[in-house]
Amino acid sequence: MVTYIDASSAPMKNTGQIRLYGPDGFEGMRKACQLTARCLDELVTRIAPGVTTNEIDKFVFEFGMDHNALPATLNYRGYTKSCCTSINHVVCHGIPNDKPLREGEIINIDVTYVVDGWHGDSSRMYPVGDIKRAAERLLEITQNSLMLGIAAVKPGARTGAIGEAIQKYAESERCSVVRDFCGHGVGKLFHDAPNILHYGRAEEGPEMRPGMIFTIEPMINLGRPHVKVLSDGWTAVTRDRSLTAQYEHTVGVTETGCEIFTLSPAGLDRPGLPA
């Protein structure tokens, strides 16, 4: 049975209850999420052939330090980097290293900053130089999937409406939706209830209520939906090595719909794609 709790009185651990945040929570999330969005904006001009993902990670760490923010992934459950960098067939949780990016690749960069205890979580895809039309199309479909999922967020609807909107669109474009990973509640905790599936039916899942805050982060594959996690315990890849993409926003449910906390202040939510 789904239960809801006033976030101000909730314990600082994931109890399975869904937190409902007030105006102070929304304001805290705006601040954290906008810093994350600004970092992702800064990366637009830094992604190029020859750049290493360790250089990207170093920038994310230093940008956070310059703005009194801590990267949430740093030392999280043993993870040693300040962001995740997932290239080509890497679905998520790619670990930065010294291998240079190559012309034609696509990369997802996932950043979460902690600002005054609030977690601002977002990711975007970036083209590395000129990319093939198939890759560009995948980026367009995945970004559209995210925005269709966000359009389904409103009080009284169920979280399954988000997944249904994403799944119907992605599959109509002959792509598949990854089932192994999902969006999640976020706020004072990095990962919290509820889980936000990117597939399903509109009548399923918890009811969305004003004050809920969560991520929507669909992972869309050109091939089959199946993934595997490599021996490092983090890096998830498509089993058929097909190209994959992901975009992520953090949203808060309002009385009339939702607020997207992680929108780019510079309008750069779709790097390399038509506006």
Side-chain angles (χ1 to χ4, degrees):
M1 179 179 176
V2 177
T3 58
Y4 302 79
I5 188 170
D6 183 338
S8 64
S9 60
M12 283 295 290
K13 62 180 180 178
N14 186 345
T15 63
Q17 296 173 299
I18 297 175
R19 296 165 202 262
L20 301 178
Y21 293 91
D24 289 347
F26 271 51
E27 185 54 38
M29 288 300 288
R30 288 185 193 108
K31 185 176 179 182
C33 288
Q34 277 301 289
L35 184 64
T36 296
R38 286 167 52 200
C39 175
L40 294 174
D41 285 353
E42 290 286 337
L43 288 170
V44 172
T45 58
R46 287 173 166 79
I47 305 303
V51 174
T52 70
T53 48
N54 263 340
E55 289 172 325
I56 295 168
D57 188 73
K58 182 174 184 287
F59 172 80
V60 171
F61 176 79
E62 291 177 348
F63 186 90
M65 294 300 99
D66 288 345
H67 294 86
N68 299 311
L70 179 70
T73 58
L74 188 59
N75 299 319
Y76 177 78
R77 297 184 178 178
Y79 191 80
T80 61
K81 300 294 183 176
S82 297
C83 66
C84 297
T85 51
S86 302
I87 302 168
N88 293 340
H89 71 291
V90 178
V91 175
C92 60
H93 305 155
I95 303 172
N97 58 35
D98 287 324
K99 185 177 179 180
L101 296 174
R102 297 182 298 177
E103 181 84 18
E105 291 183 320
I106 57 174
I107 180 171
N108 175 274
I109 302 176
D110 193 339
V111 175
T112 304
Y113 282 128
V114 185
V115 180
D116 298 330
W118 299 96
H119 293 73
D121 191 358
S122 186
S123 79
R124 296 180 204 164
M125 298 298 301
Y126 300 80
V128 182
D130 293 326
I131 61 175
K132 293 181 178 179
R133 175 55 190 156
E136 183 180 62
R137 176 176 172 270
L138 175 63
L139 266 56
E140 291 172 344
I141 291 167
T142 307
Q143 219 279 333
N144 290 343
S145 295
L146 170 62
M147 299 313 293
L148 286 168
I150 291 173
V153 177
K154 60 181 180 181
R158 296 192 174 274
T159 56
I162 299 168
E164 181 178 279
I166 292 169
Q167 183 181 9
K168 280 188 173 181
Y169 171 71
E171 292 180 353
S172 76
E173 294 289 339
R174 303 184 304 282
C175 293
S176 64
V177 180
V178 171
R179 266 80 164 163
D180 298 68
F181 301 96
C182 60
H184 52 86
V186 67
K188 285 285 190 177
L189 296 180
F190 192 1
H191 297 99
D192 201 4
N195 288 335
I196 304 297
L197 305 182
H198 305 119
Y199 61 93
R201 298 186 296 179
E203 64 272 19
E204 298 175 336
E207 177 187 338
M208 289 183 271
R209 297 186 181 180
M212 288 173 62
I213 298 175
F214 49 80
T215 70
I216 304 175
E217 45 187 296
M219 289 145 272
I220 308 297
N221 297 346
L222 278 182
R224 298 177 64 82
H226 311 299
V227 308
K228 64 178 179 180
V229 177
L230 301 185
S231 59
D232 60 29
W234 289 101
T235 308
V237 301
T238 54
R239 283 189 174 271
D240 60 7
R241 295 188 66 83
S242 62
L243 214 57
T244 185
Q246 178 190 25
Y247 290 84
E248 174 185 14
H249 275 313
T250 295
V251 304
V253 183
T254 66
E255 295 291 340
T256 57
C258 77
E259 178 178 345
I260 308 173
F261 295 123
T262 44
L263 279 176
S264 163
L268 298 174
D269 295 296
R270 299 163 52 95
L273 296 178

